[in-house]
Amino acid sequence: MKLDSLHARLRWLIILVIAAVLLPLGLYSYHRTIHEVDELSDGRLAQSARTLQVLVEHAGTSALRGQAAEGILVPIETGVARSHNARDHTYESEVGFQIFGRSGHMTLATANLASLPPPAADDAPFRDVQQDGYTWRVFTLQDPADGIVIRTGERYDSRHDITRALWVEHGLPLLIILPLLAVLVGWAIRRGLRPLESLTRTLSIRKPGSHEPVLLPDAPLELQPVLTALNGQLVSLEDALERERRFSADVAHELRTPLAAVMINLESAMTTTDPAEVNATLTNAQHGVAALARRIEQLLALARLESGAASGQRTAVDLIAVAMDVVEELAPVIAESGVELSVAPLAPQVIIHGYEAAIAALLRNLLENALRHVPAGGQVQLSIEQGEHDALVDVVDDGPGIPAERRASVFARFHREAGSRGDGFGLGLSIVQRAAQLHGATIELLDSPYGQGLRVRVVIPLSS
């Protein structure tokens, strides 16, 4: 049976669990009751025999001794013989007794057991015998002192009647209750699953792009973690979609101009016949392609940082080693810029716990930003120090600097200061800021000790 719904699964699982508990208990109770009934019936047979023994010994001995050899027969009344109600049941035909004298002859018996042969000397007290097509349970009481043998018997029919009554008593209510229980369990489960239906309706009418959390009044405790996790996932999804939309807009905005410039230069080179002009346009196109490549690289770096791609497992990162790698990578840019880059005496190691790719992006963009804005002949200094709890990164230049009132705005994406030098696109400090956020670092824009220019200070916790 295929159970597609949670409602059906819960209903049948609950019914199966109830049945698995009740059926064994019912069977055990039935068998225990049958066992007790058998013991009670056997006890009743023994008690009847001993009662007859007392009566014979104290009241009927002389009368029994004077009877004929064939003995006295006690008539049995059947249910059909009752004139007042032919449907009444009588158990008289299902019980009986025999009394044998010293000579072994039967002296008194009920008509239904008159033809049963006398017991053997070695017969067990309780045994089953066949008589007139019925199975009887008999108890034999032998009195060696008086020589009288008394045997009482009961047909198994009466015990079977009790068995059938027990089946009806134990089984019929169960057969009636289980379907009713299934209906009640189904009703209870439907009421219990109403919060899920409410959650389904809430999600179905939720508008795409909504930042509102999913709320369910009176939600059960079991559903609270689901709502918390769902709201967290929705926030993460909306953030990811927002980053994708922003990245798409950035790409469309930032690549349109350099692509147009490259196309113009290439078309101009194709239409002119002057070798000098062809050379100039192709050189411009080459510069445009290089600028385009760098712009794409910065856009991708910013997208990776914003999406948390760099924020995988934190590792031990040596700031000094990363800084040296970045300086070596920027050596051609430094040489072409005509700016002097100096590195303050550094410690052998400054270890933080973070993301090496993000730290490299932070240092690279700090240095590139300084090199781009400092005119030829200027100077840029990089220093890294380790404090008790933080690592201090300083990039100082003697360029035009940024007025204090405009320093807060330079972290906006695609922001460029008026009159800035170089081919920057206003992404450098955005990348620096995102990398700093990944490490819980702070960024300060301060005055340069050279009298003009800018000091960019990044304070990175050693363990975050």
Side-chain angles (χ1 to χ4, degrees), residues 58-218:
H58 293 82
T61 304
S62 57
L64 290 176
R65 287 174 180 171
Q67 295 302 321
E70 62 272 15
I72 301 173
L73 294 181
V74 179
I76 298 297
E77 182 181 11
T78 63
V80 178
R82 295 191 174 191
S83 58
H84 63 279
N85 192 342
R87 292 182 299 173
D88 285 349
H89 182 73
T90 177
Y91 288 96
E92 287 186 34
S93 61
E94 298 176 5
V95 294
F97 66 90
Q98 293 176 301
I99 300 177
F100 298 90
R102 292 187 181 90
S103 61
H105 294 289
M106 184 182 64
T107 57
L108 182 64
T110 55
N112 53 357
L113 286 182
S115 60
L116 189 65
D122 57 349
D123 280 352
F126 288 99
R127 59 192 296 260
D128 296 337
V129 298
Q130 296 294 324
Q131 172 69 11
D132 297 332
Y134 295 102
T135 302
W136 289 74
R137 179 71 166 174
V138 297
F139 173 74
T140 303
L141 178 61
Q142 301 189 23
D143 187 356
D146 200 17
I148 295 176
V149 177
I150 299 174
R151 180 160 59 186
T152 56
E154 179 185 23
R155 270 174 28 192
Y156 272 104
D157 297 32
S158 61
R159 301 191 182 192
H160 291 165
D161 290 339
I162 296 175
T163 302
R164 284 190 292 271
L166 288 175
W167 269 114
V168 173
E169 181 181 350
H170 288 272
L172 187 59
L174 193 61
L175 293 177
I176 296 174
I177 287 174
L178 279 179
L180 178 61
L181 195 59
V183 174
L184 294 177
V185 166
W187 174 83
I189 291 174
R190 279 193 296 273
R191 285 190 62 86
L193 294 182
R194 280 183 181 176
L196 288 181
E197 297 175 359
S198 300
L199 177 60
T200 302
R201 288 193 298 269
T202 302
L203 292 177
S204 64
I205 63 176
R206 180 183 173 87
K207 295 181 180 179
S210 173
H211 292 274
E212 294 295 325
V214 178
L215 299 176
L216 283 183
D218 302 324

